[in-house]
Structure formats: structure tokens, C-alpha cells
Amino acid sequence: DPVEAAKRAAAEKAVDEFVRDGMVVGIGSGSTIVYAVHRLAARAKLPEGDPLRISTAVFVPTSFQSRQLLAEAGLTVAELATREVLDVAIDGADEVDKSLNCIKGGGGCQLEEKLVASAARKFVVVADHRKQSERLGTCWTKGVPLEIAPSGYRLAMRLLAAKGATATLRMAKSKAGPVVTDGGHFVVDAHFGGIEDVPAMERWLKAVPGVLETGIFCGMASKAFFGQADGSVVEWA
Ligand code: DER
């Protein structure tokens, strides 16, 4: 599958460029990050003395999925609450623009993802070519994911609608009722079309009562790796 090959190429290049042994590394959620963890697990099996070998590095998850992935790969899991600062955080994204602003939260893990990305000296995005965007909101058309306090979801949706957004409560597929995040919150996807002013959009979304976190990662990433259909990797920095 060329998309999966593209994800893998991006993830492996990012891991080998940014992760060295002894580091505290934030690990994101979704499907692309799986290839990053598999690369790290392979590096944990390298012989002593190999500069790419991983043995004392620890990894901070961003979700139940991410924690399970790390544990199953035999990598050492550390918790964000026990760490002052991370050396690097690596995560996927749903869409990235040329200023490296991202829409994230397709997997509903944006709250912990933004904490981990913010706690890291460097935040690096890994994705396939479908995520490369000229203007945020034009490729990822499912809306900006928002982490919402459940009791406030109708208030938040009314306030978002008053600002011209089409807000939908994200419903679960194999469970009756809405998606519930690892933090016990709801997800509202707010549709705006293309986003003109990303920082302004992030600021006012965050100011809506009941919005605990947004999937807009504005000016946070220092580099993005995009796997291409031919297996090459395009880098934006
Ligand atoms: O939910 C998230 O923020 C994920 O990182 C998502 O944006 C990327 O998921 P993917 O790697 O499966 O496309």
C-alpha cells in the first residue's frame, strides 16, 4: 500500500534524525506513529556501540493507544507528569501548512498530544503526502477537533454556531453514543472551511467555554516529514 509505505518512510527518517539514546521522547497517536515505534523497537535490538542503538531512552505516550504501542514494543514508558521537559516529541497530523501549523485530533487524542508537544524542546510531525496543505482546512475536511467538557457540549456547539461554525458531536462507531476521549471528554468537530488566520482561530476557539483543547497546533512544529507515493520523503522546516 503506497500510503502506508509513505507513512513508514517519513516516520523512520524522523526517528533516525531526531532520536538518540538517553533521550526523553514524546510519542504521538494514530497510524503513522506506529512505524516510528517499530523503528525504535528495531533500534533497541542493535548491538552495543551502534550509534543508533536505543537502550536508556524513555518514551512519553499521548494516549491509551500510544502507551500500549510502546509497551508492546518493549520500550520504556515514562509519564509526562514525572518529567520537566522532553527532548523531542514525534506525532502525526491530519493536515500541515507551509508554516507548519497543524490540524490534529483525527484520532481524538489532541489534549495529551498538545501537552506532550508543548513539553518538548522540539516537536516533529510525520505524515504522508495527503497531509501537505496550502491552507489549513482545505485538505482535512472533517473539521477542527475540539476536546469538550461533556456537560458543556451543547453550550459550546451553540457558541460555535453563533460564530459561523458547523459543529458536530463526534459519535462513536462501535459504541452507542458519542466518542469519549482518554480524558473522559467529548469531541466536537468544528467545520470552518479554509482557515484564513490560524493563530486567531486557535485563540478564539480556546476562549469558548467548555473547549478544553483544540486540534490546531499553531507554530509548534519545527519540522515535518511527508512520505511520498514513490517512497521518497519531503521535508518542511
Ligand atoms: O489524532 C491525531 O492527532 C493523530 O496524530 C492524527 O492526526 C494522525 O493520524 P494518522 O497518522 O493515522 O493519519
Side-chain angles (χ1 to χ4, degrees):
D1 175 339
V3 168
E4 292 308 308
K7 292 179 183 180
R8 177 172 181 174
E12 292 182 348
K13 193 163 169 81
V15 160
D16 286 356
E17 181 173 323
F18 281 91
V19 179
R20 289 293 169 272
D21 204 13
M23 283 188 172
V24 183
V25 181
I27 294 293
S29 303
S31 63
T32 307
I33 200 68
V34 171
Y35 297 104
V37 171
H38 288 171
R39 175 65 186 149
L40 289 161
R43 287 179 50 183
K45 296 186 177 68
L46 291 173
E48 296 262 350
D50 187 310
L52 285 179
R53 176 176 153 82
I54 294 281
S55 67
T56 58
V58 298
F59 300 91
V60 177
T62 51
S63 64
F64 181 87
Q65 177 228 353
S66 168
R67 183 175 285 100
Q68 291 292 93
L69 190 59
L70 287 164
E72 284 157 13
L75 295 168
T76 306
V77 174
E79 296 307 324
L80 179 62
T82 65
R83 303 284 161 164
E84 273 310 304
V85 69
L86 312 186
D87 296 294
V88 62
I90 303 178
D91 199 349
D94 297 302
E95 184 174 2
V96 187
D97 73 12
K98 283 276 172 63
S99 307
L100 300 188
N101 297 316
C102 303
I103 291 179
K104 284 177 54 50
C109 306
Q110 58 281 337
L111 178 63
E112 293 298 323
E113 287 175 337
K114 192 173 280 186
L115 291 175
V116 167
S118 305
R121 290 194 177 87
K122 283 188 183 301
F123 172 49
V124 173
V125 174
V126 290
D128 61 80
H129 50 84
R130 299 170 304 166
K131 315 311 185 62
Q132 292 172 255
S133 173
E134 287 307 315
R135 196 171 67 164
L136 232 41
T138 55
C139 299
W140 176 258
T141 54
K142 297 180 182 169
V144 175
L146 304 173
E147 186 109 3
I148 301 283
S151 59
Y153 98 89
R154 296 194 79 85
L155 167 64
M157 286 179 71
R158 178 162 57 79
L159 294 172
L160 289 162
K163 289 257 188 177
T166 308
T168 52
L169 179 63
R170 190 181 295 183
M171 301 308 282
K173 290 189 172 52
S174 48
K175 164 194 168 294
V179 163
V180 178
T181 68
D182 292 342
H185 308 123
F186 289 169
V187 180
V188 163
D189 293 296
H191 299 255
F192 298 96
I195 299 173
E196 287 299 328
D197 182 341
V198 177
M201 171 70 76
E202 211 276 330
R203 276 195 302 273
W204 84 257
L205 281 172
K206 204 66 183 290
V208 173
V211 174
L212 307 175
E213 194 47 87
T214 82
I216 292 180
F217 285 46
C218 182
M220 293 176 64
S222 49
K223 190 162 187 178
F225 295 79
F226 300 98
Q228 305 300 303
D230 65 3
S232 64
V233 178
V234 163
E235 300 177 9
W236 288 357

